[in-house]
Amino acid sequence: MNAISLNNLWSYIQGLSLTANNRRWLADRLIETPSDTVMEDNEIRKDMKEAFSKIDGINKGTVETRDVEELLNEL
């Protein structure tokens, strides 16, 4: 990521109104090392199965999704 992109990202993050817990969560994610994020095969399979199941439910109309603006406001 170049310096301009990093500066834009930093400006965006500073503009967010985050709670102390949200700031702590974000900081933890920003300093994570790749070894912290390694997932086991079974965990990946489980998560993918759940994701595809939700997508299938959305396509069938049996699973409701949130409005994009609502989701963005939550962030």
Side-chain angles (χ1 to χ4, degrees):
M1 194 177 271
N2 64 34
I4 293 172
S5 296
L6 287 172
N7 285 337
N8 288 338
L9 177 59
W10 181 244
S11 295
Y12 174 76
I13 290 171
Q14 285 179 316
L16 296 174
S17 57
L18 300 174
T19 65
N21 284 341
N22 288 346
R23 276 191 229 112
R24 195 172 307 110
W25 179 90
L26 181 58
D28 288 344
R29 295 311 169 284
L30 290 173
I31 60 172
E32 246 179 22
T33 61
S35 63
D36 293 341
T37 59
V38 173
M39 296 173 67
E40 297 289 325
D41 288 346
N42 290 336
E43 187 178 5
I44 294 170
R45 283 189 197 98
K46 183 182 126 260
D47 288 351
M48 288 181 69
K49 184 177 179 179
E50 181 181 340
F52 287 126
S53 175
K54 286 183 180 181
I55 290 170
D56 189 41
I58 291 167
N59 290 337
K60 290 179 181 177
T62 58
V63 173
E64 291 185 26
T65 59
R66 293 190 290 175
D67 182 55
V68 171
E69 287 190 23
E70 178 187 333
L71 179 62
L72 289 175
N73 288 333
E74 185 179 310
L75 295 174

